């Protein structure tokens, strides 16, 4: 719509925003009318109309099988559009049109904003299935007529209320029509069922909806008066009520077809099961985060015990082995700490990589500096945990074996993600500028425990490849190629 309006019309950004607000709301008008809606806007030179939006009803058959958006119609071909635009009134004159042997009643509703008519809504009703209207259909049509008059007068949609139509109640979910005093004139079967869920045993028609709703809702003292006003439809609002193990979502729409409030529409939907599932998910997420938090605490306790044992052991090799174990446990604890703060089982691995770099750098404070380039991005927990251990082992190996005592240097960790839409691969490179690899060194046969752990995790758990080669100028380069799930 933005492109069509800016390319073909003279409307400014504020006018376009009003049209967006209207289009976000007009599913309501389409469903109440049992009709298709097409929004026509005059072109810049005034000789044609361009259709910028279209809506089909959920309550009846469509009049348009084809998409009308983007069509251009010369002025004069559709006199009802001209009359609605020029005279600023709703036009209903004329005989039904025949489209592919289907009779269609056409009406034109001017779209007004701040006294100016921006365009015209063509309301097209498929008459092929017309039958004797029921009380529900008559209420729908009368409410649609009131809304159409409000659009023509510029009082609908409500500029201070942005509605999420995907989450708001719809016409078919449940509808109540109120008079100016808030008395129920009509309640659809779904609306009545929703109130029975709240605990109402009687019929709704003839009752004051605000007072009845306040009686059913749990006592909230001073808030009850506000609830009476809300449920009576005095202002355009959305709210929820929970009572008797039922949760009902409401949307109130004041009806002011001639500037004076004549009543209200109240749309409502039973969202009891939806809210129950949301609470279950919240509880489940909180439980999972708590588990990760406790695992992290337990791992930190294990690391503290190993560190304490290392201080007491006399063997130098034994002490180094325990310190290596402390770092391995610590790298896993970092992942669980991150997971304990997230809502899902995915983590931003860049932060983890930076913390692993800082933790391993403690082996040689001040001598060797570490840095990271590129982005790991978001990874699943089943990838992040072994990858953090792999990164710890590679960095630890580089610092312990790549530099002699007293040497200075650097270690860089780089990450690049790429691949197809079906599969993304993560390429991780760890490069140091140390002494390099011994002659005839084979990383796939080395008996070093750290490299054995790397091979097992990369090839076994992560399903990737691992290689260790001399760096182009000096030092060693470790290359990891790992498949990861595409981020959604």
């Amino acid at each position: 719509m933005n492109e069509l309006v800016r390319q073909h019309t003279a409307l400014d950004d504020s006018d376009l925003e009003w049209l967006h607000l209207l289009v976000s709301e007009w599913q309501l008008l389409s469903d109440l009318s049992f009709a298709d809606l097409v929004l026509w806007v005059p072109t810049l030179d005034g000789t044609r109309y361009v259709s910028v939006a279209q809506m089909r009803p959920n309550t009846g058959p469509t009049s348009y099988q084809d998409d009308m958006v983007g069509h251009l119609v010369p002025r004069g071909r559709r006199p009802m559009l001209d009359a609605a635009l020029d005279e600023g009134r709703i036009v209903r004159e004329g005989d039904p049109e025949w489209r592919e042997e289907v009779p269609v009643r056409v009406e034109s509703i001017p779209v007004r904003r701040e006294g100016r008519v921006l365009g015209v809504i063509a309301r097209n009703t498929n008459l092929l299935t017309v039958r004797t209207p029921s009380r529900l259909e008559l209420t729908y049509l009368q409410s649609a007529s009131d809304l159409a008059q409000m659009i023509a007068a510029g009082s609908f949609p409500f500029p201070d209320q942005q509605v999420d139509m995907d989450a708001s109640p719809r016409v078919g979910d449940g509808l109540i029509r109120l008079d100016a005093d808030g008395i129920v004139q009509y309640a659809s079967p779904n609306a009545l069922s929703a109130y029975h869920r709240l605990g109402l045993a009687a019929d709704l028609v003839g009752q004051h909806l605000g007072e009845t709703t306040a009686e059913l809702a749990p006592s909230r003292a001073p808030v009850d008066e506000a609830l009476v006003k809300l449920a009576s439809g005095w202002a355009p609002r959305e709210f929820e009520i929970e009572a008797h193990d039922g949760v009902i979502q409401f949307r109130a729409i004041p009806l002011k077809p001639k500037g004076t409030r004549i009543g209200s529409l109240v749309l409502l939907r039973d969202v009891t099961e939806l809210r129950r599932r949301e609470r279950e998910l919240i509880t489940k997420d909180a439980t999972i985060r708590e588990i990760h938090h406790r695992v992290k605490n337990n791992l930190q306790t294990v690391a503290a015990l190993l560190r304490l044992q290392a201080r007491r052991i006399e063997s130098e090799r034994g002490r180094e082995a325990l310190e290596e174990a402390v770092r391995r446990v610590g790298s896993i604890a970092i992942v669980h700490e991150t997971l304990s703060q997230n809502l899902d089982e995915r983590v931003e691995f860049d932060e983890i990589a930076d913390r692993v770099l800082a933790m391993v750098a403690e082996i040689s404070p001040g001598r060797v500096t570490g840095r990271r380039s590129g982005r790991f991005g978001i990874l699943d927990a089943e990838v992040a945990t072994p990858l953090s251990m792999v990164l710890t082992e590679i960095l630890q190996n580089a610092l312990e074996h790549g530099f002699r005592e007293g040497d200075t240097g650097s270690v860089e960790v780089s990450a690049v993600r790429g691949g197809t839409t079906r599969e993304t691969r993560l390429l991780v490179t760890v490069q140091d500028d140390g002494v390099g690899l011994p002659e005839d060194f084979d990383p796939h046969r080395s008996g070093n425990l750290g490299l054995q752990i790397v091979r097992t995790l990369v090839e076994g758990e992560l399903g990737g490849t691992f290689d260790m080669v001399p760096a182009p100028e000096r030092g060693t380069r470790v290359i990891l190629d790992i498949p990861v799930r595409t981020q959604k």
Side-chain angles (χ1 to χ4, degrees):
M1 186 166 71
N2 288 352
E3 182 179 348
L4 289 170
V5 168
R6 288 168 179 157
Q7 180 180 354
H8 295 285
T9 77
L11 301 183
D12 58 26
D13 288 344
S14 60
D15 295 330
L16 180 57
E17 185 61 33
W18 181 262
L19 295 185
H20 274 293
L21 189 60
L22 172 66
V23 168
S24 72
E25 293 269 31
W26 71 344
Q27 180 74 63
L28 175 63
L29 177 63
S30 178
D31 290 344
L32 290 172
S33 304
F34 309 98
D36 290 75
L37 306 177
V38 179
L39 177 58
W40 297 93
V41 180
T43 57
L44 184 62
D45 58 8
T47 62
R48 296 179 296 176
Y49 298 96
V50 57
S51 57
V52 298
Q54 179 179 1
M55 178 57 66
R56 293 183 173 89
N58 293 318
T59 52
T62 182
S63 303
Y64 286 110
Q65 297 299 327
D66 300 327
D67 187 0
M68 295 297 297
V69 175
H71 282 217
L72 290 165
V73 173
R75 184 178 172 87
R77 181 176 293 180
R78 299 190 179 184
M80 295 178 69
L81 290 181
D82 299 339
L85 183 69
D86 297 339
E87 301 172 23
R89 65 180 178 88
I90 298 175
V91 181
R92 295 191 174 94
E93 301 93 11
D95 296 327
E97 296 181 1
W98 287 85
R99 299 175 188 162
E100 299 180 356
E101 300 183 354
V102 175
V104 177
R105 183 175 63 242
V106 181
E107 304 164 87
S108 295
I109 305 167
V111 177
R112 191 183 304 273
R113 174 180 177 264
E114 297 179 353
R116 295 183 300 116
V117 177
L118 306 182
V120 179
I121 294 176
R123 181 164 55 176
N124 303 267
T125 306
N126 186 325
L127 300 178
L128 196 61
T129 58
V130 170
R131 59 187 183 277
T132 303
S134 64
R135 180 73 188 280
L136 180 145
E137 290 171 332
L138 289 173
T139 302
Y140 276 23
L141 292 172
Q142 179 58 54
S143 301
S145 177
D146 294 334
L147 282 177
Q149 292 182 58
M150 291 170 65
I151 291 173
S155 58
F156 186 84
F158 305 109
D160 57 344
Q161 186 189 37
Q162 188 69 38
V163 177
D164 182 1
M165 291 306 297
D166 291 333
S168 294
R170 300 200 176 204
V171 170
D173 295 327
L175 178 142
I176 297 175
R177 173 85 186 216
L178 307 178
D179 65 13
D181 297 322
I183 304 300
V184 178
Q185 296 178 309
Y186 174 78
S188 72
N190 285 344
L192 191 58
S193 296
Y195 264 83
H196 288 165
R197 187 72 178 260
L198 289 177
L200 180 69
D203 192 5
L204 269 175
V205 176
Q207 298 197 42
H208 190 283
L209 187 67
E211 295 175 357
T212 301
T213 306
E215 291 173 1
L216 295 172
S219 177
R220 299 186 294 176
V223 186
D224 285 344
E225 183 177 350
L227 179 59
V228 171
K229 289 284 188 182
L230 286 174
S232 298
W234 284 89
R237 293 288 186 272
E238 289 193 23
F239 57 98
E240 286 188 5
I241 293 176
E242 182 171 1
H244 293 83
D245 297 325
V247 183
I248 308 300
Q249 183 183 20
F250 289 79
R251 183 188 177 197
I253 304 169
L255 297 175
K256 303 177 181 179
K258 297 181 180 179
T260 303
R261 181 175 171 276
I262 64 167
S264 304
L265 277 183
V266 178
L267 306 180
L268 61 159
R269 178 173 60 170
D270 186 345
V271 292
T272 305
E273 289 303 309
L274 179 63
R275 296 295 178 259
R276 181 185 63 81
R277 291 175 185 174
E278 287 177 351
R279 283 193 287 266
E280 287 179 353
L281 287 174
I282 291 172
T283 302
K284 179 181 177 182
D285 289 339
T287 302
I288 291 173
R289 289 199 299 272
E290 178 63 21
I291 290 172
H292 284 303
H293 181 71
R294 295 190 180 189
V295 170
K296 183 263 297 184
N297 288 345
N298 290 339
L299 289 172
Q300 288 180 337
T301 301
V302 171
L305 292 173
L306 291 174
R307 196 176 292 111
L308 182 63
Q309 184 65 42
R311 293 195 188 102
R312 294 175 174 270
I313 198 168
E314 296 182 358
S315 169
E316 183 69 22
R317 294 185 62 184
R319 187 182 307 111
E320 290 176 357
L322 288 176
E323 289 174 351
E324 287 182 5
V326 167
R327 286 187 285 273
R328 288 166 184 150
V329 172
S331 65
I332 302 175
I334 291 173
V335 177
H336 283 282
E337 181 179 1
T338 306
L339 288 169
S340 70
Q341 300 168 4
N342 291 350
L343 293 177
D344 55 13
E345 290 292 286
R346 311 190 76 191
V347 296
E348 177 64 63
F349 197 81
D350 294 327
E351 179 185 351
I352 294 174
D354 292 339
R355 293 181 63 179
V356 168
L357 262 171
M359 180 180 66
V360 176
E362 294 175 359
I363 300 173
S364 57
R367 292 194 303 110
V368 180
T369 59
R371 63 178 181 274
R372 173 180 61 84
S373 61
R375 293 193 69 251
F376 287 85
I378 297 176
L379 299 177
D380 293 332
E382 58 263 27
V383 174
T385 301
L387 183 57
S388 67
M389 286 195 65
V390 167
L391 197 57
T392 300
E393 295 298 333
I394 293 173
L395 289 170
Q396 186 169 294
N397 187 76
L399 294 174
E400 289 185 355
H401 303 290
F403 298 92
R404 300 186 182 92
E405 187 174 351
D407 286 351
T408 59
S410 63
V411 179
E412 180 176 0
V413 178
S414 65
V416 178
R417 290 180 77 149
T420 65
T421 55
R422 292 187 177 182
E423 182 183 48
T424 300
R425 301 198 73 85
L426 175 63
L427 184 65
V428 181
T429 304
V430 181
Q431 182 168 317
D432 64 66
D433 56 1
V435 298
L437 296 172
E439 293 184 8
D440 301 326
F441 178 79
D442 185 355
H444 300 285
R445 295 179 178 272
S446 172
N448 182 294
L449 176 60
L451 293 183
Q452 288 182 15
I453 292 174
V454 170
R455 287 198 301 268
T456 301
L457 292 177
V458 172
E459 297 172 0
E461 285 200 35
L462 297 174
T465 60
F466 156 72
D467 202 4
M468 199 171 186
V469 297
E473 296 182 2
R474 180 187 176 188
T476 304
R477 175 181 290 175
V478 179
I479 304 169
L480 307 176
D481 188 356
I482 302 168
V484 294
R485 193 177 75 179
T486 301
Q487 181 181 345
K488 296 181 180 179

